[in-house]
Amino acid sequence: MTYIKKEKTIEKAGLWMKSRPLLVRLDMELTERCNNNCIHCCINLPAEDSETRKKELSTDEIKRILKEAVSLQCISARFTGGEPLLREDFQDLYVYARKLGLKVLIFTNATLITPALVDLFSRIPPLERIEVTVYGMKKSSYEAVTRVGGSFEAGWRGINLLLENKIPFVVKGALLPCNKDEIDDFEKWAAALPWMHELPSYSMFFDLRCRRDDYRKNELIKSLRFSPQEALKFLIRKKNEHLKKMKEFCSKFMRPCGDRLFSCGSGHGGCVDAYGYFQPCMMLRHPDTVYNLKTGSLKDALTNFFPRLREMKAANPDYLNRCAKCFLKGLCEQCPAKSWMEHGTLDTPVAYFCKIAHTQARFLGLIKEGEKAWEVKNWRERIEDFTKEKAVVS
Amino acid sequence: MEIKASLNSIYKPSEDVVTRDIQGEFIIVPITSGIGDLEGEIFSLNKHGRAIWDKLDGKKTIKDIAKELSLDFDGAPEDIEKDVLGLTQELLKKKMLVEAGKK
Ligand code: SF4
Ligand code: SF4
């Protein structure tokens, strides 16, 4: 009889083979402050805002949360912001999280990457590829986005430090009027990075301010959004690949979801904001949907509070007549968080996302000109026809 | 130079790894670089592997560990010894164990 299984005694961990831990990944928004001031940003507060800094969680409070996450069998922590590297205790928190046995995923603009930080990442690797957002290939476009002089040089210095020291990272873009003509250059450069196995992802349907704190900024963000037609043109620039992805996506995720507000996986993990409120998703900051970790625990939020949220039903007649019956749910970005950011409610259809979803669905042949997706009765057939379509000609 | 595991040596987990029990899965998470074959990997041990790992405590030799395990598991003692040695060798190669002495 074999004592150690013959296959492999050590195998790359294929986790949750038996069941899923209560918390797989914890998002930690270490600060809402940022040293950039991007025109499209839904969250940033000034880097030097000392009042905000005072309100942020202390080092010990963050460590306590990370420790609890590990006790719930969490595998990975995502450090995001604002700009997470702005926190003076970043290195301390990072090392602490890694020594607890967490993988750490860092979202950064790379401007604050220093030789000391790269040295730390070389000695204690994050075990997740760092994600860097690149705002432009030229100083003029980059800084037209970030509105901070010198950020172009700082961002690219950071990227080069990672590259030279072989710290695994991937890049993402934010598609804006001032950098959209640089996409080809960006993608060509990105493709040569050793850790980029796919095209970069882009943010393009920009969210409004998630704290609903600045009307003027919201007007600016709206003015930067791509029109549905422009967005479609961008999405289908690699038409066959796009169609292939969409077929897979549509068959898995598109269907009407009824009056339940949360049709996504939100609330199975969550995001701790900079002040200790646990949100079921990164964007949803409606006061009724956040849980105060200063007086409670991740476990209580995950086992009691979030499950109650997931049972929440929509009450807005407009939502019930449209979104609840609409088979584009899934393709459409409509969700409680978007509704909150746009309208301050959880269940108001967002006209911009509705138009985008309809434009995409028309292109895919799922609805006809003039048709409203929520009125379509034979949606199952339509999805089936679309996903079975064979030859795709570009 | 590759370090060879030997029956009379004592080993213990390296301080450069953390072990975790996730839903009954025993996993080894590297803390510092150079653990394992590829960056970014975490590893898991099956239950037999874990039984060995638990005994690699910096006190017992491989021979002692194999002897103890043969009380708990079926299998010829020489097979068990071979398996314990094999896994120790693999863990040493991946720098998840360090030598803590000899007898
Ligand atoms: S770098 Fe990121 S967090 Fe900072 S302002 Fe720009 S988009 Fe916002
Ligand atoms: S496409 Fe319109 S109706 Fe359908 S889910 Fe989105 S917002 Fe609601």
Side-chain angles (χ1 to χ4, degrees):
Chain A
M1 182 179 168
T2 342
Y3 173 64
I4 296 174
K5 271 192 203 152
K6 275 282 179 243
E7 315 94 74
K8 274 186 184 167
T9 44
I10 302 179
E11 49 211 5
K12 199 177 167 188
L15 298 174
W16 19 109
M17 281 181 287
K18 291 163 196 129
S19 58
R20 210 180 144 89
L22 189 58
L23 181 65
V24 177
R25 164 134 87 206
L26 180 68
D27 293 332
M28 294 284 321
E29 205 172 75
L30 298 184
T31 177
E32 290 186 1
R33 294 171 299 120
C34 186
N35 56 333
N36 280 343
N37 183 21
C38 296
I39 47 178
H40 63 288
C41 186
C42 66
I43 188 156
N44 70 320
L45 294 172
E48 61 286 354
D49 183 339
S50 55
E51 280 312 302
T52 298
R53 176 66 190 98
K54 270 190 231 148
K55 284 192 273 164
E56 287 171 5
L57 290 173
S58 67
T59 312
D60 285 345
E61 284 169 326
I62 295 177
K63 287 182 177 176
R64 180 184 64 79
I65 294 169
L66 290 170
K67 203 163 168 199
E68 201 211 343
V70 167
S71 76
L72 300 177
Q73 311 203 330
C74 179
I75 279 288
S76 170
R78 173 158 56 186
F79 284 178
T80 178
E83 173 50 54
L85 301 184
L86 256 188
R87 278 197 61 129
E88 58 286 354
D89 56 359
F90 176 84
Q91 294 201 21
D92 184 10
L93 294 173
Y94 171 78
V95 171
Y96 183 81
R98 286 290 295 105
K99 287 194 169 166
L100 284 176
L102 286 164
K103 297 169 153 205
V104 178
L105 170 59
I106 302 162
F107 277 11
T108 177
N109 59 31
T111 55
L112 299 172
I113 302 263
T114 58
L117 209 48
V118 160
D119 180 54
L120 175 65
F121 295 150
S122 302
R123 283 184 290 113
I124 303 183
L127 303 186
E128 299 261 26
R129 290 172 300 174
I130 295 171
E131 296 195 16
V132 176
T133 309
V134 178
Y135 296 106
M137 298 301 282
K138 296 187 200 127
K139 183 172 170 69
S140 55
S141 56
Y142 192 104
E143 291 182 1
V145 178
T146 61
R147 296 187 288 190
V148 173
S151 57
F152 174 76
E153 289 80 4
W156 282 92
R157 190 169 50 239
I159 288 171
N160 285 326
L161 272 172
L162 294 174
L163 200 53
E164 283 155 18
N165 290 280
K166 301 188 175 59
I167 309 292
F169 70 98
V170 295
V171 289
K172 305 180 287 193
L175 210 56
L176 285 149
C178 55
N179 65 20
K180 70 177 192 321
D181 296 331
E182 298 168 9
I183 293 299
D184 290 342
D185 284 351
F186 174 53
E187 290 187 351
K188 206 165 138 203
W189 168 78
L193 294 173
W195 309 280
M196 285 294 289
H197 307 307
E198 292 181 344
L199 281 175
S201 63
Y202 295 94
S203 48
M204 57 195 285
F205 305 126
F206 302 113
D207 291 321
L208 299 187
R209 300 286 297 176
C210 49
R211 294 260 175 228
R212 297 182 53 73
D213 58 358
D214 196 322
Y215 173 78
R216 275 187 18 255
K217 280 191 181 167
N218 274 351
E219 288 309 298
L220 175 61
I221 295 170
K222 281 186 198 164
S223 75
L224 298 167
R225 286 170 163 177
F226 277 29
S227 71
Q229 281 310 329
E230 281 173 321
L232 180 67
K233 200 170 145 207
F234 178 76
L235 289 172
I236 63 171
R237 70 199 197 289
K238 297 199 165 55
K239 195 174 166 191
N240 284 354
E241 278 166 43
H242 177 70
L243 285 171
K244 202 172 148 219
K245 263 194 209 149
M246 289 314 295
K247 285 183 184 194
E248 233 181 271
F249 181 87
C250 291
S251 61
K252 280 193 199 144
F253 301 113
M254 272 172 63
R255 65 192 182 287
C257 291
D259 59 358
R260 274 178 75 154
L261 271 178
F262 293 91
S263 50
C264 55
S266 104
H268 290 292
C271 173
V272 180
D273 80 2
Y275 319 106
Y277 286 90
F278 194 23
Q279 309 166 181
C281 90
M282 213 181 244
M283 304 316 291
L284 185 54
R285 284 155 215 258
H286 187 294
D288 294 347
T289 62
V290 298
Y291 177 97
N292 187 354
L293 286 175
K294 288 193 173 171
T295 53
S297 64
L298 292 171
K299 188 173 181 194
D300 184 42
L302 289 161
T303 51
N304 295 312
F305 184 68
F306 289 170
R308 282 203 300 275
L309 288 185
R310 285 200 298 274
E311 296 306 316
M312 279 171 85
K313 305 249 191 258
N316 179 347
D318 207 16
Y319 185 99
L320 295 173
N321 289 328
R322 292 167 50 183
C323 305
K325 299 175 186 161
C326 178
F327 80 106
L328 300 187
K329 200 86 200 288
L331 177 69
C332 174
E333 296 209 10
Q334 172 71 36
C335 74
K338 308 278 173 175
S339 169
W340 158 250
M341 288 181 278
E342 304 269 333
H343 299 290
T345 61
L346 293 171
D347 57 359
T348 310
V350 177
Y352 176 62
F353 297 120
C354 194
K355 279 189 201 139
I356 290 189
H358 275 76
T359 306
Q360 285 194 67
R362 268 195 298 278
F363 167 75
L364 300 175
L366 292 164
I367 55 170
K368 298 185 203 90
E369 200 59 48
E371 234 177 356
K372 309 269 188 261
W374 58 89
E375 290 168 356
V376 172
K377 297 275 180 287
N378 64 341
W379 56 271
R380 273 197 191 84
E381 242 169 76
R382 293 191 190 195
I383 290 179
E384 219 179 285
D385 286 350
F386 168 59
T387 49
K388 279 189 187 149
E389 237 171 58
K390 281 209 188 90
V392 175
V393 189
S394 58
Chain B
M1 194 189 67
E2 197 173 307
I3 315 157
K4 278 259 174 245
S6 85
L7 286 172
N8 294 319
S9 293
I10 300 165
Y11 300 95
K12 64 175 184 187
S14 157
E15 285 176 4
D16 293 333
V17 299
V18 170
T19 57
R20 300 188 55 194
D21 194 333
I22 305 229
Q23 305 293 91
E25 189 86 16
F26 184 73
I27 68 163
I28 303 174
V29 184
I31 302 301
T32 56
S33 55
I35 307 284
D37 314 312
L38 285 170
E39 284 303 348
E41 274 189 333
I42 53 181
F43 302 85
S44 72
L45 287 185
N46 64 21
K47 76 169 183 184
H48 305 287
R50 181 180 184 162
I52 298 173
W53 178 278
D54 286 344
K55 293 195 184 289
L56 291 160
D57 58 0
K59 291 183 191 119
K60 297 185 257 299
T61 63
I62 298 296
K63 226 179 180 44
D64 297 337
I65 292 172
K67 215 180 279 168
E68 277 185 30
L69 287 168
S70 60
L71 302 174
D72 300 337
F73 290 90
D74 292 337
E78 55 285 7
D79 286 345
I80 292 181
E81 204 170 84
K82 214 169 98 203
D83 288 339
V84 177
L85 197 63
L87 178 63
T88 304
Q89 179 65 47
E90 201 170 343
L91 292 166
L92 268 177
K93 200 171 127 203
K94 292 189 186 311
K95 302 201 184 99
M96 292 172 178
L97 287 181
V98 290
E99 196 173 317
K102 269 189 198 325
K103 257 190 197 164

